[in-house]
Amino acid sequence: MPRAAQEYHNFRIPVTAEFEEVFSHFYFAENNTDAPLSKTLLPNFQTLLVFGFGPKITLQSKLNTTLVLDKCIVLGPVKQAFTYTLPVNAQMLVANFKDDAFYRFFGKAITDGHVPFNPDELLAENCFTNLWHELQKIAGINEKVDFILAFCKPYLRHRE
């Protein structure tokens, strides 16, 4: 008999006024059922920074291109719907950047149109994977979002 805790949860997390020009919102999904779940992500024409926790998440485009999300990936701008599959006990946290905010923070990373790309290749440092390692230590989703916002805060002061 399934327990009440064995459910699929997904919800949006709003941002404070300080970050409204950077993020539209965060999105969280977790699969606490006893079977993998596939859902559709609709196009939003924005850049997404996606973190996966637990078992690897798969993303499949309408052209049958499959990506495996281990720790983090940058997608965007998302122009087509795609399917993501959350295995049992997987969690996904998505930062939805507004307009060109991702590029204002991290520089114009895509010069030849290759999307998606490994976000760690944007900087000389292993920035996003290091961020993922810190996030995985944090249990609560709101605390994870707060940590990401604190990570981005210095970039707010230095943007052009």
Side-chain angles (χ1 to χ4, degrees):
M1 174 177 236
R3 298 175 307 198
Q6 291 186 323
E7 298 175 349
Y8 168 70
H9 299 108
N10 68 321
F11 50 88
R12 287 178 172 228
I13 302 166
V15 295
T16 61
E18 179 180 17
F19 291 95
E20 285 178 340
E21 292 182 28
V22 178
F23 300 102
S24 60
H25 65 282
F26 285 82
Y27 172 77
F28 177 74
E30 68 179 340
N31 181 7
N32 293 326
T33 69
D34 57 2
L37 291 173
S38 293
K39 300 291 181 180
T40 301
L41 178 70
L42 299 174
N44 66 4
F45 300 94
Q46 301 300 324
T47 300
L48 308 176
L49 177 56
V50 185
F51 294 96
F53 304 98
K56 295 178 182 177
I57 298 166
T58 58
L59 310 160
Q60 186 168 16
S61 74
K62 291 197 178 228
L63 300 174
N64 290 324
T65 301
T66 300
L67 299 170
V68 177
L69 172 59
D70 181 20
K71 294 176 178 64
C72 58
I73 193 169
V74 173
L75 300 171
V78 178
K79 297 178 183 177
Q80 297 181 31
F82 63 86
T83 302
Y84 63 91
T85 301
L86 290 172
V88 175
N89 297 320
Q91 294 181 338
M92 180 173 70
L93 177 59
V94 181
N96 289 272
F97 285 89
K98 276 188 168 177
D99 304 321
D100 66 347
F102 179 84
Y103 303 100
R104 284 185 282 140
F105 277 169
F106 303 110
K108 184 161 170 107
I110 305 171
T111 57
D112 59 347
H114 288 94
V115 179
F117 58 91
N118 181 338
D120 290 331
E121 293 174 2
L122 294 179
L123 303 171
E125 309 163 358
N126 198 349
C127 162
F128 295 110
T129 299
N130 287 340
L131 177 58
W132 177 87
H133 281 289
E134 292 302 316
L135 291 172
Q136 77 162 345
K137 298 175 190 175
I138 302 169
I141 190 59
N142 289 326
E143 291 79 10
K144 284 182 186 212
V145 169
D146 289 344
F147 193 89
I148 293 170
L149 295 176
F151 174 83
C152 291
K153 198 168 196 157
Y155 294 99
L156 285 175
R157 288 186 224 124
H158 297 101
R159 66 183 177 186
E160 298 176 354

